[in-house]
Every structure is written in structure tokens, then in C-alpha cells.
Amino acid sequence: MRRYTRRVTTSPAPRPRRRASASSTSGAAPDAARARAEALRAEILDHDRRYYELAQPTIGDNQYDALVAELRALEAAHPDLATPESPTQRVSGRPAEGFAVVEHREPMLSLGNVFGRDGLLAWHQRLVRLTERDDFGFVCEPKIDGLAIALVYRDGRFVQGATRGDGGRGENITPNLETIRTLPKQVKAPKGKALPAAFEVRGEVYLSKAEFARLNEQRAEAGEQLYMNPRNTAAGSLRQLDQSITAARRLDLFVYQLGWVEGDRPATSHANAIAWLNDLGFPTNPLAQRFATIEEVATFCEGWAEKRSALDYEIDGVVVKVDDFALQRALGVVGREPRWAVAWKFPAEQAVTRLREIQVSVGRTGVLTPFAALEPVFVGGANVSMATLHNFEHVRTLDVRIGDDIIVQRAGDVIPQVVGPVLAARAGREAELREFRMPDACPVCKAPVEHDEGEAAYYCSNPDCPVRLARSLEHYTGRGALDVEGFGEERCATLVRLGFVTSLADLYALPEQREALLALEGIGPKTLDALFANLEASKRQPLHRLLIGVGIRHVGSETARALATHFGTLQALREATLEDLQAVDGIGPIVAQAVFAWFQNERHLALLDRLVAAGVRTDEEVAARGGILDGLAIVVTGSMERWSRNEVEALIKSLGGKIAASPTKKTSFVVAGDGGGSKREKAEALGVEVIDEAGFVERLRALGWGDD
Ligand code: IVH
């Protein structure tokens, strides 16, 4: 697979390119060489981030390699330019910092595809012909759209995990896989049986749709570019050199195959092998089923083609496997595909339609995002007339032109995407096609557009741009921030358009304009009074919500909490130096710099002054230091009604409590929602108190929560 091993390439430095060889002295580097090396490093790191973290590369492998080659040549010509942190050091010399290569003992195969019943029956006919029998059983499993991995266990311990790579060699990503909670780190033999000395298990790592949505919400909150789809995000998350990033993404796993075994194989059929793996504690897909006839198999596949969107993870088909291992061996492999298994692929959720126009929207931070306005087309169960194009670089990479026939794709709940132009459809229509250019002026306020060289993003330069303000207002009043009910997208836009709000702080002056607001359509006195009451209540929200609300780049809910808890008051945060910010747990240099810069800006300080004058609260929960749950260890399990589990956990932490993963004798109590089965049982067995969500709220109230 392309670029998989780029961090561990050991090829010698290529011949210096012209730019570098022109000054191949060994004395101190001239300023121009130094500046160029710094620019190259920044650019390479940025491309690494796009490739590994966002899974959205904006340049091809050759261009990337050329950048690294140029930097390497510069450093070779001017040794004083080389630094241990340089990307060249990671690429060439120190594999330990990249991913080591793992040779798979047995190749990781791919699958042949069939589309529909006829294809499946033809596959079955071939099996019947080859084996001269037709009495075999099949196992059907959803085909998870994630990333294939191979896990090695020795003496019951997880010792190595690798990506599929090119099927023969993958990347060693053991520490990353260790962050997956559902991946067993240690397994025990079932009662009365021995565990093989070592064995390999294969499966698929994926990101659930819910988790994908959560990550994107966080990114939207922090004003960061959204991830494209769960699969790419899962892939990018697994290939992080920094495992804390992988851990934060909450990946999941299904195992679907027993690989090689040292010692006796514990099963003679796939279904039994999966049952054995399940007994050992591996997550196996509960939807898998065994069937005795190919007709039943076809019905199962058709059923899931209809119901796929109901699952919380993406599937792109059903894998059908001959159950019996002896038969599997007899059927063997052709090329890279086993004869004994096949993928029933669901119809691609793609369609061809005309790209009418490329338009540009403006976000809260002023970023301009191009999107495709399409001739409406039915795809993936919905009518689609718009699709995202992410950024200008992406439009260039796709090489789509206005007027093109393009392929549009809709995967699950994800925003429709443009896959690319239908090149063959261009013939004879060249004159109708137009290349897209990013506008020089904001499409809304006409202010000049700014663009930093080397950055993908273009910005509207006007901080008072009405769309930016409307979006900021929407964000400020949104559920993740100050949570003022009644300020939806449309209302925010109206308030800005009609001049009721010209700065976020005007929000709290709205009650002074009661009469004028009553004249607006759709706002009666009752609605208005409710809005005002909600506004008043929002002033009592803790500091971290204010920090989210004002929209500081890179500051989503987790960072905002970290800042608010650390500094306690807005004033302390305003006075913080860059060093103070860098010292906050969980805050890296880039975020610290962004926060510091935000608080240096006079406009921002004036906004805060006005918000404070309006009566907005400027401290974090009093309980955050010396809280009502101080010293308590609490387990949260199951799903809640009023809050998500994350919210309950965040609340407990903000009140001084500690979250424990599973009950022990030291656990103070367990908050159990629906479905918190095994932890509830364990707590009960240990005599630890279990309360439900309502009981938890009562407990908090009794301790004085909500009295501030
Ligand atoms: S079996 C020889 N089972 O599909 C059998 N694969 O196109 C090889 N996949 O690389 C794999 N769900 O990443 C198998 N239940 C499942 C699967 C599955 C997803 C993926 C896997 C593999 C690709 C094959």
C-alpha cells in the first residue's frame, strides 16, 4: 500500500537538487538556506498531519518525497541545519520512531466480490463443481468498513499487532492497538482446556458512527476542519505515532478469523473458531450467522443491504465463508483471493450527476469552504443536491471543473462527497467547463480574502462579516457552549441581518429591544420571555462554557475544561503567560499559542469586558476545587437518559470525584444506566452501592449541587 512505510525508508539520501547544491559549503548555513529548511520542515510536518491524522493528503507521494529529498540535501550541505526533530531524521535513520515492518507469516488475503443473488449462485456453483458435493455450511458476517489488522498472542498475552499493509508486510502498530478498550490484552484458556502456545487473530478496527459524530462535533467546536468519513478517520487514528491521539479516538474492533496457531488448532470449523475466540473474550460480531443452504445466505445478504444504515458502524457488504476448515483448505487460494470466501458487496452508494456550480460558504472562524451545487440525484437513500469539497486544494487534487459530470458518494450518515469527474464525459464539452478559482473577496461581505502561503485554508479578513457573526452567535448559544435554547440557525441569522446583534455581547442587551423584537414575525411575547429567561440563565454557566462559546481556535470542550479547572477564573486566564499555558495538563504548544494569541487581541478583550459587564459568570464550578465528590471513586456504566455517559463522567470529575473503570471494593458507588449489566453485577457481588441516574441526581442535590 502506498506510503505505508515512508517513515522507515532507509534509502540513501538522493542527489541534492539544484536549490541545495548551489551552496554546498560546509560552513554556517546562509540565511536563505536556513529559512528554506525551516519552511520545508513545517510543510512536511503539515503534510504528515494531513496524511496520518486527517487521512486527507493534499499532495501525492512523489511531491512529498521531493520535499523530503530537498530537505535532506540541504541538511547534508549544511550540517548545522540538521536537528534531531527534523522529519528527515524520522524518515531515514531511526525506524524506532516510525513504524517497524511486520512480515505476515501467512499472507492477509483479499476477497473476490459478487453483486447480488446471481453472482452468489455462480460462486456457489463453482464450489460444487470443484468439490463434487453441495452439502456445505456457510457463515455470513457483515463486512465491516474499517481497517484489517492481525494480532499475535503468546502465552495468552497480546504481543504484536500489525496493519494489513500490502498483504505480505504491514506496519507494527502494537502500542496503538493497545489503546483499544475492547481488544483483550490477556486471554485465559477456557476451563479444562489448554491455550495454544501462540496464535494469530485477524479482524477489523473501525470507528462507530456515534464516535465519528462526536469527534466531528469536537472539531467543529474547536473550529477545526471536519473528518471525511469513519474509515479514513479510523485509519488515520491507528497510524498515529503519538498513541494518546489514538486513545482519544475510541476505536473499536471485531475479530473475524483465526490465523496461524502454534500447537493444536482449537476448532475444525470457522463457526467454532469464532465461538472459541468469543469465549476467550474477543469481540466477535453478534450478527454473524451459520446457514446450511446458499438460498438462506442470499436472503441474509439482501436483508442487510436494506438494514445497513440501522447499524452503528459502516458495512459495505456481507462476507460469506465456507464453514469447514478441511473444505477451506481443499478449495485453496487463487492469486490473492481464497476460493472459499467471497464478499457480497452492497450496491455502491454512488451516482453520477452534473456539477452545476462550485459555491463557497463562510464559517465562524472566517474559513471559506467550497462546496458542490449539484443537479439533484438520488443516492444512498436520499436526494442529494450539495456535496462537500473540503478546501481549495481538494478541488485541485480532484481536478473537477464546473459543468463536469461528477461521481457523488454518500456513505451512511456522512455528508455527501465528490469522488471525482467522469473524464470520459468531457469529450466535446470542453467549452462548457470552467475551472474553479477561490474568490478574492468574501462572497458575503466582499472583504478581501486572505490566504497564508502553504496553508490549505482561505479566510474572510473581516472580523465583522455578518455570516461569521451569525455563525458565532449560533455557536455561542449552542448546546456545547452557553446552551441558550431558542437561538437556532435561522434566528441567529435574522438577529444579525436586522442589526439587533452586531457583536456577541449584544445578545445580553436584547431585552432592551423588546418592542422592536415583538414586531418580528414568529416571535410572540411568550417566546420572547422564554428567550430572555434562557439568556439570563446562561449567565450562570461555568467558565469553561464561556471559553467554548467565544470560539478560540483549537479550544473545544476538553481543552476549555482543562483551562477553566487550571486557572479557576477568567482574570487568571487573561493574565496567563505562554509558559503558564504550556504548563496546563493536556495542552500542547500549538493550543497554548492559540489561546495566548487570542487573549492578546484587543477586540477579544473588549468583548470579554462587555460580557462580564452584562453579568456573565467568570469562574469555574466552585466545586472544581474541593468539590462535593472529593475523594470518591465512582463507576459509570450503561446508557443514561438525561446525560450521555461522557457528560456524567465529566460532571463527576468537575465535582472532584474520580472515575474508575470497573468496580472494586474501594468503589464508592456505581451509577448504572440501561444495559450496565456486568459492572452492575460485579458491584452487587462486592456489596458496592448501585444507583440509577435519578438516584445520582438526588445524591448530588443532597450534597449541595446546583446551589451556587
Ligand atoms: S475475511 C480470506 N471477514 O474485507 C478472508 N474480511 O476484502 C479475508 N473485512 O481485508 C478476510 N469484514 O479488511 C473477512 N467479516 C469479515 C470482514 C472482512 C471486513 C475486510 C477485511 C479484508 C477485506 C477483504
Side-chain angles (χ1 to χ4, degrees), residues 109-111 141-144 148 164 204 256 319 321 338 340:
L109 302 172
S110 41
L111 291 170
E141 297 160 355
K143 186 168 185 300
I144 313 292
R164 176 174 184 274
E204 196 89 351
Y256 54 64
V319 182
K321 300 174 182 174
W340 50 266

Side-chain angles (χ1 to χ4, degrees), residues 122-167:
W123 173 74
H124 180 245
Q125 278 308 313
R126 200 161 61 239
L127 298 190
V128 172
R129 226 180 28 246
L130 287 168
T131 58
E132 296 179 347
R133 51 192 277 194
D134 67 352
D135 58 345
F136 26 75
F138 302 94
V139 174
C140 294
E141 297 160 355
K143 186 168 185 300
I144 313 292
D145 199 7
L147 230 88
I149 42 117
L151 312 169
V152 176
Y153 286 76
R154 192 165 283 285
D155 300 323
R157 260 174 41 81
F158 172 54
V159 291
Q160 186 191 77
T163 60
R164 176 174 184 274
D166 62 6

Side-chain angles (χ1 to χ4, degrees), residues 7 56 59 68 87 89 117 119 222 238 324 340 360 372 389 398 428 441 458 488 581 603 661 669 694 698:
R7 285 178 190 272
Q56 284 179 17
I59 59 172
V68 176
Q89 298 307 304
R117 204 173 262 266
L238 260 191
D324 187 76
W340 50 266
V360 172
L389 283 165
L398 289 177
Y458 287 72
L581 288 162
R603 288 176 60 95
F669 58 85
E698 249 171 58

Side-chain angles (χ1 to χ4, degrees), residues 350-609:
Q350 289 189 341
V352 172
T353 188
R354 182 69 45 95
L355 176 62
R356 280 182 179 163
E357 190 54 85
I358 295 180
Q359 293 170 340
V360 172
S361 69
V362 185
R364 165 169 64 86
T365 56
V367 174
L368 305 192
T369 307
F371 65 92
L374 307 169
E375 207 69 67
V377 63
F378 193 74
V379 50
N383 266 320
V384 167
S385 57
M386 277 192 300
T388 175
L389 283 165
H390 299 286
N391 55 50
F392 183 49
E393 277 300 316
H394 192 63
V395 180
R396 259 223 295 253
T397 313
L398 289 177
D399 185 29
V400 286
R401 318 235 168 112
I402 299 160
D404 259 335
D405 280 342
I406 53 114
I407 300 169
V408 56
Q409 165 174 296
R410 190 169 167 273
D413 306 331
V414 180
I415 317 164
Q417 297 175 24
V418 176
V419 178
V422 182
L423 292 174
R426 278 189 186 163
R429 296 188 54 245
E430 289 83 359
E432 293 168 47
L433 306 179
R434 239 182 331 122
E435 267 189 48
F436 170 69
R437 280 198 37 201
M438 214 53 178
D440 299 326
C442 169
V444 179
C445 70
K446 309 293 177 236
V449 165
E450 283 173 357
H451 171 57
D452 290 335
E453 212 45 59
E455 262 211 40
Y458 287 72
Y459 295 88
C460 161
S461 58
N462 173 11
D464 294 318
C465 174
V467 194
R468 290 182 60 176
L469 182 58
R471 294 262 150 84
S472 302
L473 194 60
E474 213 181 311
H475 175 77
Y476 184 90
T477 53
R479 274 185 58 190
L482 278 294
D483 194 12
V484 197
E485 218 185 306
F487 285 82
E489 184 179 341
E490 247 177 70
R491 187 153 291 154
C492 289
T494 311
L495 290 173
V496 171
R497 184 165 39 86
L498 299 180
F500 285 100
V501 173
T502 56
S503 146
L504 276 187
D506 290 346
L507 199 57
Y508 293 111
L510 285 176
E512 294 159 22
Q513 312 202 49
R514 195 168 192 281
E515 293 311 312
L517 286 165
L518 277 175
L520 295 185
E521 209 171 310
I523 301 197
K526 263 200 186 155
T527 314
L528 203 57
D529 288 339
L531 277 185
F532 292 162
N534 295 342
L535 267 178
E536 201 50 38
S538 78
K539 294 181 185 170
R540 296 193 291 276
Q541 294 278 23
L543 174 60
H544 75 266
R545 284 181 173 264
L546 179 65
L547 296 179
I548 297 171
V550 292
I552 306 170
R553 199 155 177 222
H554 301 307
V555 178
S557 58
E558 274 167 39
T559 307
R561 267 177 207 281
L563 289 170
T565 319
H566 186 95
F567 291 100
T569 66
L570 182 62
Q571 193 52 35
L573 189 53
R574 279 175 77 146
E575 288 164 9
T577 62
L578 186 58
E579 290 73 42
D580 294 338
L581 288 162
Q582 279 170 348
V584 180
D585 223 12
I587 291 187
I590 294 176
V591 179
Q593 176 59 43
V595 175
F596 184 70
W598 195 90
F599 280 99
Q600 297 302 302
N601 183 319
E602 290 298 329
R603 288 176 60 95
H604 298 154
L605 299 180
L607 167 67
L608 290 177
D609 287 342

